[in-house]
Amino acid sequence: MSTELLAPLDLAFWHLESTEHPMHLGALALFESDGEDDCDCDSVAKLLAERAAAIPRLTMRVRPVWLPVGGAAWSTAKDFDVRRHVRQIRLPDGDFAAHATEIAGELMEQPLERGLPPWEMYVLTAPGSRAFAVLVKLHHALADGMRAVAIGAGIFDQIAGARAAGARRERSVPPRSWLPGPHQVVGFARDRLEEVGRAVGIGASVMRASRFDLWGASALASGSSGTRRLGTAVLGLDDVLKIRRVAGGTANDVLLAVVAGGLRRWMLERGEPLPGADPRALVPVSRRRPGSAAASGNRLSAYLLGLPVSEADAWARLASVRRAMDRNKAEGPGRGAGAVAVLADHLPPLAHRFGAPIAGSAARMLFDVLVTSVPLPRSTLSLGGSPLRAIYPMAPLARGQSLAVALSTYGGQVHVGLVADAEAVPDLDRLAGSMSGELATLLRAATG
């Protein structure tokens, strides 16, 4: 049985989870058959199960280990049964996409069973419809955004076919024993001291970035119900690129400005006063090197970005975002104020086990909303011959927070997945519409 220790950040995500605040990420993928017949949900579910079972990472569960103290390891589940992970749900007649989005939000509330490999997939179908959807849930300990794409892509025809033909295979990674060998003991203490020194430096910058002027009565400051709601928006990639060509910077700068402007519009439409301090976004940054081993753990850092919702002019908001992101990139993702994920790499397993409740509660002092971009393959994707029409990524919510925004580009569009506390943000559709309105405003400024 293969065994691999959880990387420090994976361990942190594993211990951060609670029943009310599950730490899984996900995606809602919408398909539509090219044929005239209704979707055969049984065949789709069978195909999905076969392909998921062929992905080695999805057969592994987390178990505790004696050493290092407080650690855990991935091990192959001897009793793995894919039927416990792939399920079917029939939706009512009506607007299929709306019903799928609603049920996906409810399913995202439910934690994954910790004694099993931590993932689930749902096939969502409706009678008399050629459309169907697949909801994928992966624990954050299992995958960061890029790793989740690498795992999840295995269900698509193009990736599964290449893998079966031997053109694309996961590179095997030698299992890491949880018992150190004699040659490791001498350097262990020295390495630990060096890591503690780096942790102190990173921790100091993170603490300096912490703040106590929280959002008060804002909806984004009251996410504690444990309920979940999913909202979606679709933005034109061509529009984003037109704005970038005029404004400079990156497409991600434009999207961050769209989020900032969308939040401003949403708050004003609700009749909320704008906050005295601009909300902070945590913007994850992958530290995964191209071609890195497939089984390696989460490799993340993050930038902190003030979202300029107090700025009335959309073009000025974009310029503000550009300047702030340029400063973040100049400092680098490994040592800035948002490098809380890097800090996790330098802490011993026992610190993650007992410090997780404190860390989870402290997230509100560091940032107000998560905004992450999840890359997808550029090729056209399908499942069982049915083309993928849209895919909405979903990020987990930290304890005490009400909104997470995830963005992915596919088929010439940017798909936005909004995950919110359902009680704190009952009007999530209005926020999604505000982001579309903000993009239109920026486009007029760029082309007018």
Side-chain angles (χ1 to χ4, degrees):
M1 180 172 63
S2 63
T3 301
E4 177 190 342
L5 283 175
L6 266 72
L9 187 53
D10 301 352
L11 191 64
F13 287 137
W14 189 249
H15 288 311
L16 276 170
E17 182 170 66
S18 67
T19 302
E20 295 77 19
H21 297 91
M23 286 300 297
H24 51 254
L25 43 81
L28 178 65
L30 303 180
F31 301 85
E32 186 168 356
S33 172
D34 280 341
E36 296 182 358
D37 296 333
D38 296 348
C39 169
D40 183 349
C41 61
D42 292 333
S43 296
V44 172
K46 181 180 179 181
L47 178 63
L48 190 63
E50 289 175 353
R51 290 180 177 174
I55 300 172
R57 199 66 176 171
L58 297 184
T59 67
M60 304 188 79
R61 66 179 183 90
V62 176
R63 65 177 181 86
V65 296
W66 287 103
L67 292 174
V69 177
W74 292 107
S75 62
T76 302
K78 293 183 292 185
D79 58 347
F80 174 74
D81 184 352
V82 72
R83 293 172 297 180
R84 302 176 72 176
H85 299 266
V86 178
R87 300 161 189 170
Q88 300 179 43
I89 295 180
R90 290 276 189 172
L91 303 178
D93 290 334
D95 187 332
F96 178 80
H99 288 312
T101 301
E102 181 180 3
I103 191 66
E106 295 174 4
L107 292 170
M108 289 298 287
E109 291 181 16
Q110 304 171 11
L112 296 163
E113 188 172 341
R114 290 174 77 89
L116 299 175
W119 65 275
E120 292 173 349
M121 296 184 189
Y122 293 85
V123 179
L124 311 178
T125 60
S129 175
R130 293 188 292 114
F132 68 93
V134 174
L135 172 66
V136 179
K137 292 170 57 177
L138 301 173
H139 199 284
H140 211 339
L142 179 66
D144 56 24
M146 290 185 67
R147 181 72 183 119
V149 171
I151 293 173
I155 70 172
F156 293 113
D157 297 337
Q158 293 74 14
I159 311 302
R163 182 174 287 153
R168 251 182 228 183
R169 290 195 177 98
E170 286 192 349
R171 289 189 292 170
S172 61
V173 176
R176 289 181 285 172
S177 172
W178 50 271
L179 286 173
H183 64 285
Q184 296 174 295
V185 175
V186 174
F188 182 80
R190 181 183 66 249
D191 293 343
R192 178 56 62 199
L193 286 174
E194 291 176 353
E195 288 182 357
V196 168
R198 289 192 291 268
V200 169
I202 297 170
S205 67
V206 171
M207 287 303 297
R208 286 194 297 269
S210 299
R211 68 188 206 182
F212 301 92
D213 52 334
L214 302 182
W215 270 35
S218 168
L220 297 191
S222 55
S224 58
S225 72
T227 59
R228 294 291 180 268
R229 183 174 174 84
L230 173 64
T232 62
V234 178
L235 308 175
L237 180 59
D238 285 345
D239 294 343
V240 172
L241 296 179
K242 287 177 184 176
I243 296 166
R244 180 194 62 80
R245 283 193 289 269
V246 176
T250 68
N252 199 49
D253 293 342
V254 176
L255 292 173
L256 288 168
V258 166
V259 173
L263 285 172
R264 175 187 170 87
R265 289 166 177 263
W266 173 67
M267 285 186 283
L268 292 175
E269 288 176 4
R270 296 175 116 225
E272 283 191 19
L274 295 176
D278 284 337
R280 276 182 172 171
L282 186 75
V283 183
V285 181
S286 176
R287 296 188 294 133
R288 190 180 299 279
R289 296 179 179 177
S292 61
S296 56
N298 277 278
R299 297 288 297 165
L300 290 172
S301 183
Y303 296 134
L304 282 180
L305 171 69
L307 296 174
V309 300
S310 57
E311 171 56 59
D313 181 76
W315 202 253
R317 284 195 293 272
L318 174 54
S320 176
V321 166
R322 264 201 68 193
R323 290 192 298 269
M325 289 302 290
D326 286 346
R327 288 193 299 269
N328 278 328
K329 293 169 187 175
E331 189 170 38
R335 52 197 182 112
V340 63
V342 179
L343 177 62
D345 286 339
H346 299 299
L347 296 178
L350 200 60
H352 292 303
R353 181 173 181 179
F354 292 106
I358 299 174
S361 300
R364 282 289 298 119
M365 292 190 295
L366 192 63
F367 64 97
D368 303 291
V369 58
L370 175 72
V371 184
T372 182
S373 294
V374 182
L376 291 177
R378 295 184 179 182
S379 58
T380 300
L381 301 172
S382 62
L383 176 61
S386 298
L388 175 66
R389 300 302 189 193
I391 182 165
Y392 299 99
M394 291 173 279
L397 283 182
R399 185 181 292 115
Q401 295 183 322
S402 299
L403 179 67
V405 183
L407 310 103
S408 285
T409 299
Y410 176 77
Q413 296 177 318
V414 180
H415 295 94
V416 184
L418 306 169
V419 176
D421 183 288
E423 292 186 9
V425 190
D427 56 345
L428 194 57
D429 291 343
R430 178 186 292 179
L431 176 56
S434 295
M435 292 186 182
S436 298
E438 180 67 10
L439 180 66
T441 298
L442 284 171
L443 183 62
R444 286 194 298 270
T447 59

